[in-house]
Amino acid sequence: MAKVLEGLYYSESHEYVRVEGDFGYIGITDYAQNALGNVVYVDMPDVDDEVSAGEEFGAVESVKAASDLMSPVTGVVVEVNEALDDQPELVNSDAYENWIIKVSLSDKSELDNLMDAKAYTAFCEK
């Protein structure tokens, strides 16, 4: 069973958001990295790009497949995880520590549309 952390918000497309103050750290879940297999490339937006809830913001490529990254929230990118440029496989070693982008959250009420750990676990078991 994939690891699901309490206190994060989860989307049906298997991204998570960890909220710290007015910022959200977005990455893919342990379930997603496990399904993808060995990650070989992470395509990320640029700092100052805007991302919108439900819209694509990049992609993750593995030896098996490529998968679009869908933003669970709306905001402005304030940081990208540059370590993933040289070591995309960090996503496989710990998906929750190795977030992909940090955004300034535009509308925290969007978090209400996402799943908590319990709901996401049930979703993955379907």
Side-chain angles (χ1 to χ4, degrees), residues 17-48:
V17 182
R18 182 178 79 236
V19 176
E20 294 184 8
D22 292 329
F23 298 98
Y25 292 84
I26 300 171
I28 63 170
T29 64
D30 191 51
Y31 180 92
Q33 73 78 20
N34 200 34
L36 279 167
N38 295 332
V39 173
V40 294
Y41 179 70
V42 181
D43 179 34
M44 297 176 276
D46 295 321
V47 170
D48 294 331

Side-chain angles (χ1 to χ4, degrees), residues 93-112:
S93 60
D94 190 335
Y96 297 113
E97 276 302 309
N98 295 291
W99 49 272
I100 296 171
I101 59 172
K102 177 182 176 182
V103 299
S104 173
L105 298 169
S106 299
D107 182 359
K108 283 191 173 177
S109 72
E110 289 177 339
L111 297 168
D112 298 339

Side-chain angles (χ1 to χ4, degrees), residues 25-97:
Y25 292 84
I26 300 171
I28 63 170
T29 64
D30 191 51
Y31 180 92
Q33 73 78 20
N34 200 34
L36 279 167
N38 295 332
V39 173
V40 294
Y41 179 70
V42 181
D43 179 34
M44 297 176 276
D46 295 321
V47 170
D48 294 331
D49 281 0
E50 196 165 302
V51 296
S52 300
E55 301 283 318
E56 183 185 329
F57 72 85
V60 174
E61 293 178 22
S62 72
V63 291
K64 287 198 286 192
S67 181
D68 290 338
L69 294 167
M70 307 301 283
S71 184
V73 292
T74 300
V76 175
V77 179
V78 294
E79 192 178 343
V80 297
N81 188 345
E82 292 178 1
L84 298 178
D85 283 337
D86 296 326
Q87 296 180 286
E89 67 277 4
L90 289 171
V91 171
N92 295 120
S93 60
D94 190 335
Y96 297 113
E97 276 302 309

Side-chain angles (χ1 to χ4, degrees), residues 9-21:
Y9 298 89
Y10 298 90
S11 69
E12 289 188 1
S13 53
H14 304 288
E15 287 84 14
Y16 68 83
V17 182
R18 182 178 79 236
V19 176
E20 294 184 8

